[in-house]
Amino acid sequence: MYLLFVIILFSLLGFTLVSVDPLLAGIVGFAIIAGCLFKIIHMLNELHKHFSIEKPKKESVQEEFDRYLKELDDK
């Protein structure tokens, strides 16, 4: 339903841009394209932050492994 609303809205915007002054239509068209590009860059940045989780350091893994081996020896 949302997709249909967006398609109709942008169709009306397209017809409006065709019927107005070419300079104004160019400015509005450029603003729409630039806004979409900046939104895409923002979304990619958020995805990068989400998926680039710090991996545990090898020292901490080695320490845990040594602790586990020590617990096994104590038993």
Side-chain angles (χ1 to χ4, degrees), residues 21-22 27 56-57 67 70:
D21 182 41
I27 292 171
K57 297 180 181 178
R67 187 180 61 80
K70 185 178 177 183

Side-chain angles (χ1 to χ4, degrees), residues 55-66:
K55 296 179 182 174
K57 297 180 181 178
K58 285 188 176 182
E59 294 86 30
S60 65
V61 172
Q62 186 64 37
E63 290 172 4
E64 289 295 321
F65 183 68
D66 291 339

Side-chain angles (χ1 to χ4, degrees), residues 3-69:
L3 179 63
L4 181 63
F5 173 71
V6 170
I7 290 171
I8 292 171
L9 181 70
F10 278 99
S11 297
L12 293 173
L13 180 63
F15 289 132
T16 304
L17 288 178
V18 169
S19 65
V20 297
D21 182 41
L23 179 63
L24 180 63
I27 292 171
V28 172
F30 176 77
I32 290 170
I33 292 171
C36 289
L37 290 175
F38 281 120
K39 179 66 176 178
I40 289 170
I41 290 171
H42 176 71
M43 290 173 66
L44 287 174
N45 190 21
E46 291 296 318
L47 282 173
H48 176 71
K49 287 179 186 176
H50 180 73
F51 287 118
S52 64
I53 299 171
E54 289 187 30
K55 296 179 182 174
K57 297 180 181 178
K58 285 188 176 182
E59 294 86 30
S60 65
V61 172
Q62 186 64 37
E63 290 172 4
E64 289 295 321
F65 183 68
D66 291 339
R67 187 180 61 80
Y68 174 72
L69 288 177

